[in-house]
Amino acid sequence: MSVQERKERERAVRERLIVATARELAEQQGWDAVTTRRLAERIEYSQPVLYSHFRGKREIIGAVALEGATELATAVRAATAAEEGPRARVTALARAYLDFAVRNPAVYDAIFQLDGGLPYAQEDTPEPLKDAFAALLESLGEVAGDGVHPGLFTEVFWAALHGLATLTRARRLPPEDTERRVQLVVDRLAIV
């Protein structure tokens, strides 16, 4: 292994450490607790080293969002692959999405609530974000209904799930009724 290859590998390891530490800190104490100073202290590198990877907190949030989008896509695909029939897949998708939001609140916020400097719904949208949407579209596209654009339907269904996730996390909706809400969304929106 050349010196250059070793340096690149070490750099990638440091970058993963920064992102993992930011996620951990955000999940434990919220995104306000994630500062470059605190991250530098936790990873035991200087702030200039941290800045050599990310220009600031915004880029760190973006890196967490991309990682989280990949995990969300994986969770949705795993849940829907285990089901037979469109209705079961859509129900599994909704449950997996809402479960992801509950289990990973800081990551969910990085993807959908915070400014990570990432373009959404554009030509230059990063691939992990496109793939997360594609994971939703794979199951939702088949239940969009006649004459309804599958992508547009996916956006509306996703918006409903996002609203449920956000309002439940904010304690505006009681969590014990989540399953009933999932069934209502599936029954009323999905043509199965």
Side-chain angles (χ1 to χ4, degrees):
M1 172 182 300
S2 73
V3 172
Q4 182 64 28
E5 290 171 330
R6 181 182 53 76
K7 285 183 178 183
E8 287 174 12
R9 186 180 67 199
E10 289 171 355
R11 181 173 175 74
V13 168
R14 271 193 316 269
E15 194 164 299
R16 284 192 302 275
L17 177 62
I18 293 166
V19 172
T21 304
R23 278 181 73 154
E24 180 182 313
L25 188 56
E27 291 294 358
Q28 291 170 353
Q29 300 176 31
W31 278 105
D32 287 341
V34 179
T35 65
T36 54
R37 184 186 55 76
R38 287 180 109 177
L39 286 175
E41 287 171 4
R42 283 198 176 205
I43 64 172
E44 298 179 347
Y45 283 101
S46 68
Q47 282 183 297
V49 169
L50 197 137
Y51 282 117
S52 75
H53 290 273
F54 299 99
R55 285 182 285 198
K57 182 176 176 176
R58 182 178 185 218
E59 283 190 4
I60 294 168
I61 290 169
V64 170
L66 294 176
E67 193 175 87
T70 298
E71 294 167 9
L72 176 60
T74 299
V76 165
R77 286 188 175 112
T80 58
E83 300 297 333
E84 299 239 356
R87 180 181 179 75
R89 280 190 289 280
V90 171
T91 301
L93 176 150
R95 288 177 182 143
Y97 183 96
L98 294 172
D99 183 58
F100 181 88
V102 167
R103 285 184 299 107
N104 307 282
V107 174
Y108 188 85
D109 286 347
I111 301 169
F112 298 115
Q113 302 286 98
L114 301 174
D115 179 9
L118 303 172
Y120 284 77
Q122 299 174 26
E123 288 291 321
D124 59 343
T125 297
E127 200 53 45
L129 298 177
K130 288 180 180 179
D131 189 53
F133 185 78
L136 299 175
L137 180 62
E138 289 163 10
S139 293
L140 294 170
E142 67 181 323
V143 298
D146 293 336
V148 177
H149 187 278
L152 187 61
F153 177 76
T154 300
E155 291 170 353
V156 170
F157 199 93
W158 167 33
L161 292 178
H162 177 68
L164 291 175
T166 302
L167 291 169
T168 302
R169 282 185 49 212
R171 294 187 171 93
R172 301 300 194 270
L173 298 175
E176 62 271 11
D177 291 330
T178 297
E179 184 58 29
R180 288 178 45 210
R181 288 187 199 97
V182 166
Q183 291 309 314
L184 276 171
V185 169
V186 172
D187 289 345
R188 301 295 187 215
L189 290 180
I191 306 296
V192 265

